[in-house]
Amino acid sequence: MSRAPEPDVTSTAIAAVFREEHGRAVSVLIRALGDIELAEDAVQEAFAVAVERWPTDGLPPSPAGWLITTARNRAIDRLRREGSRTQRHTDALLLYAQHDEAPPREEGPVRDDRLRLIFTCCHPALGRPAQVALTLRLLGGLTTAEIARAFLVPEATMAQRVVRAKNKIRDTGIPYRVPHDSDLPERLAAVLAVIYLVFTEGHRATSGDTLVRTDLCAEAIRLARVLAELMPDEPEVTGLLALLLLTDARRATRTDTSGQLVLLADQPRERWDLRLIAEGHALVRESLRRNAPGPYQIQAAINAVHADALTFAETDWRQVVALYDQLLAIAPTDVVRLNRAVAVAEVEGPAVGLSLVDALQLRDAAAWHVARADLLRRLGATSESVAAYDAAIGLTASGPERHFLLARRNALPRVD
């Protein structure tokens, strides 16, 4: 006889479990199966069963264990039905089921399941965009639309990348195994990019009704810490961890009590996490002493400058611009140029900043229109600012960001 529904087992609660446990469940199933499609499908089926059963039966004592067990059983059922799978896969998973435990870990330098999944997906046979997109899909459970927004490409383009990556893994027989020590350095750049993008989606969710996805932020920081222990002599690993900590230190002040976005200039800095800031500063100094600057180290240094300022007005914007100049020298992207232009506007005025922004080819990015809207507002170009806000709103799927942009636009003087 089923128990009465538990009030906390809502679709929101189940979605939260999905976000928190998807990467772990997929990682464990891939380790058991060596088959990406089967593992991902089985996990998706397990969550579908959870949506059906949990509102009536209640949350199991261990949601993660329940999901992995259910996914494993679904995979076994499919293996039994399909003669095309190798007997090795079937035997391995059946043995796993009989002992009701995860298969033995492979020996190797990467012992964390989810970090190992990142390294295996970042195989050099796959192109960099495919490596990052596929890992974000498997590890973070991000939708294709969310990944597309992170890459500033159409959703259909990103869907093709993910499908092609999966097909290449299958067709070329890329193994899901722990990479050897010698394989780690050549995969590091893609691994860092994955962790950074997982954090970025958590720090500023591209869709939904909440600005911050704390589960993704926490997972990215956890993975960065594991990676720093694994590769302590890599300055970019140290730099990435510093960047995440310094950025996450502001989390509590980035929204107000109603969940609405608060700009950096308006955040109460006394509520920033001083412990994370101190750790981030120490890591920045440690990485820069090695005199091998990279993009994550420089971005961490920029965030350290913001953390040093007691108020927004006291920010050393000239140092921020100088650091962006260094960043442009090694990562000459339009996104970096956009951020530099915003910093230049604080030093040389909004007119100069606007001229730099208008020179960029980022018209499909909401951030470009947001920067233009604010600079035009500061210049008193109301009608143009309204148009820029409208363009940004049309490109924004985040509820808090849309609400903020609407409020900014509506606060502008009326233009007859």
Side-chain angles (χ1 to χ4, degrees):
M1 180 175 177
S2 298
R3 296 192 301 271
E6 295 187 6
D8 60 330
V9 188
T10 62
S11 57
T12 302
I14 296 173
V17 173
F18 175 85
R19 290 193 300 268
E20 293 170 7
E21 302 297 346
H22 181 273
R24 177 185 174 190
V26 170
S27 301
V28 170
L29 264 293
I30 288 178
R31 180 156 54 90
L33 292 166
D35 187 316
I36 180 175
E37 291 285 357
L38 182 57
E40 189 178 19
D41 288 350
V43 171
Q44 292 290 345
E45 289 179 18
F47 275 104
V49 175
V51 170
E52 178 183 342
R53 294 184 184 175
W54 288 2
T56 301
D57 298 344
L59 278 175
S62 171
W66 187 98
L67 289 166
I68 291 171
T69 299
T70 302
R72 178 200 66 198
N73 293 337
R74 292 289 167 135
I76 290 172
D77 290 342
R78 180 176 295 189
L79 286 169
R80 284 170 168 161
R81 292 194 305 266
E82 297 180 10
S84 60
R85 303 288 185 179
T86 66
Q87 190 61 40
R88 178 177 60 84
H89 285 165
T90 306
D91 292 343
L93 198 60
L94 286 173
L95 180 63
Y96 167 21
Q98 289 166 4
H99 291 280
D100 197 28
E101 58 185 15
R105 292 180 181 272
E106 297 176 63
E107 291 301 319
V110 184
R111 302 299 179 89
D112 181 88
D113 269 331
R114 280 165 283 191
L115 185 60
R116 176 160 54 182
L117 175 59
I118 297 177
F119 270 105
T120 52
C121 285
C122 292
H123 193 282
L126 301 175
R128 178 64 54 79
Q131 292 173 342
V132 178
L134 179 59
T135 314
L136 287 173
R137 178 76 190 89
L138 297 177
L139 180 77
L142 272 64
T143 66
T144 304
E146 288 170 337
I147 301 170
R149 283 191 289 270
F151 278 83
L152 303 179
V153 299
E155 182 176 351
T157 300
M158 185 53 61
Q160 291 173 355
R161 286 182 186 174
V162 172
V163 169
R164 283 198 296 267
K166 290 180 180 179
N167 289 343
K168 186 161 189 176
I169 288 172
R170 181 196 64 215
D171 296 341
T172 61
I174 292 175
Y176 280 91
R177 65 168 183 244
V178 179
H180 300 294
D181 291 279
S182 59
D183 297 327
L184 299 183
E186 68 175 335
R187 304 189 193 188
L188 181 60
V191 170
L192 292 173
V194 167
I195 296 175
Y196 175 71
L197 286 173
V198 169
F199 180 85
T200 300
E201 178 62 26
H203 177 71
R204 197 162 191 157
T206 54
S207 62
D209 296 327
T210 58
L211 181 69
V212 179
R213 289 183 55 178
T214 56
D215 59 308
L216 290 182
C217 291
E219 176 64 3
I221 291 173
R222 187 191 71 80
L223 289 168
R225 289 190 185 281
V226 173
L227 188 60
E229 292 178 6
L230 176 70
M231 308 180 78
D233 297 325
E234 289 286 348
E236 274 291 80
V237 174
T238 305
L240 176 64
L241 178 57
L243 171 61
L244 302 193
L245 295 177
L246 289 166
T247 305
D248 199 53
R250 305 194 297 268
R251 186 202 308 172
T253 64
R254 294 184 57 246
T255 55
D256 60 21
T257 54
S258 62
Q260 299 307 313
L261 185 152
V262 178
L263 291 179
L264 179 64
D266 302 321
Q267 292 173 11
R269 299 186 173 213
E270 67 275 8
R271 293 180 54 213
W272 286 0
D273 190 324
L274 298 180
R275 180 184 59 82
L276 292 182
I277 290 174
E279 185 180 0
H281 271 292
L283 291 169
V284 169
R285 291 192 294 270
E286 176 187 335
S287 65
L288 293 181
R289 277 197 297 267
R290 295 170 182 170
N291 198 29
Y296 297 110
Q297 297 171 72
I298 297 173
Q299 289 179 76
I302 292 170
N303 276 269
V305 174
H306 287 297
D308 278 339
L310 296 178
T311 66
F312 185 79
E314 294 178 65
T315 304
D316 188 345
W317 288 105
R318 292 186 184 279
Q319 186 179 2
V320 171
V321 172
L323 286 167
Y324 272 120
D325 288 340
Q326 292 182 39
L327 185 57
L328 271 176
I330 56 178
T333 69
D334 278 348
V335 172
V336 175
R337 293 186 182 95
L338 177 63
N339 290 326
R340 179 185 180 276
V342 172
V344 168
E346 297 296 330
V347 177
E348 301 184 36
V352 176
L354 182 63
S355 66
L356 295 173
V357 170
D358 282 345
L360 303 176
Q361 300 299 315
L362 284 172
R363 286 163 176 76
D364 292 332
W368 183 81
H369 294 282
V370 170
R372 289 193 76 249
D374 183 63
L375 294 171
L376 289 164
R377 177 188 62 80
R378 291 163 61 182
L379 290 167
T382 302
S383 59
E384 293 176 76
S385 181
V386 168
Y389 275 123
D390 285 339
I393 291 166
L395 292 168
T396 301
S398 164
E401 289 198 11
R402 286 177 62 86
H403 184 276
F404 174 82
L405 295 173
L406 282 165
R408 276 285 171 123
R409 185 197 66 180
N410 294 339
L412 291 170
R414 294 179 62 87
V415 179
D416 296 329

